[in-house]
Amino acid sequence: MLGLLETREAAARERVEDLREAAARAAAVLEAAEIELDRRMIAREELVEALAVSAAETTAVTEAETEAEPAPVALSLRTYRRRVAELMVKLEADSRYQAGLRAGELGLPR
């Protein structure tokens, strides 16, 4: 009878140890996911700020041009390329298409 109890106790100890190891692995995965979420939230906030600044500058340029003489382009090509490059870095994208997909994943406005 004592042998049976010892066998069951050993099995219970092994099960507890297995569960502790699984919990430690799950905690590590959770921590990595939380870090990734924080990083993406910061990137989204920075991107929204950059877009807001860009929109404000574009609006100011457009309003100034409306008062004077309308022009077809509100931003210079160099400024456009620089801003697109900055957004692609923040979105960790290798192409404008990929940046658009990532922006959609983050729920950014069009």
Side-chain angles (χ1 to χ4, degrees):
M1 183 65 106
L2 188 56
L4 181 61
L5 289 175
E6 289 173 344
T7 302
R8 287 183 178 170
E9 181 182 342
R13 285 182 194 276
E14 186 176 324
R15 176 74 175 136
V16 166
E17 188 58 35
D18 289 345
L19 289 171
R20 283 187 178 144
E21 289 173 6
R25 285 190 304 273
V29 170
L30 175 62
E31 182 178 2
E34 288 175 336
I35 289 170
E36 177 69 14
L37 175 62
D38 288 344
R39 189 179 63 78
R40 289 188 177 272
M41 288 174 60
I42 290 168
R44 180 177 52 82
E45 290 169 0
E46 290 176 351
L47 181 60
V48 167
E49 288 174 12
L51 290 173
V53 168
S54 177
E57 290 174 358
T58 301
T59 301
V61 169
T62 303
E63 289 174 355
E65 289 174 347
T66 303
E67 292 174 4
E69 183 176 311
V73 179
L75 296 174
S76 71
L77 180 60
R78 185 175 178 182
T79 301
Y80 164 78
R81 287 180 177 164
R82 179 179 49 82
R83 289 196 181 151
V84 168
E86 289 170 355
L87 294 175
M88 287 174 58
V89 168
K90 288 182 181 183
L91 290 169
E92 297 178 358
D94 297 323
S95 68
R96 290 180 299 166
Y97 178 78
Q98 191 177 29
L101 289 177
R102 293 237 170 100
E105 290 171 0
L106 294 171
L108 296 173
R110 291 182 176 195

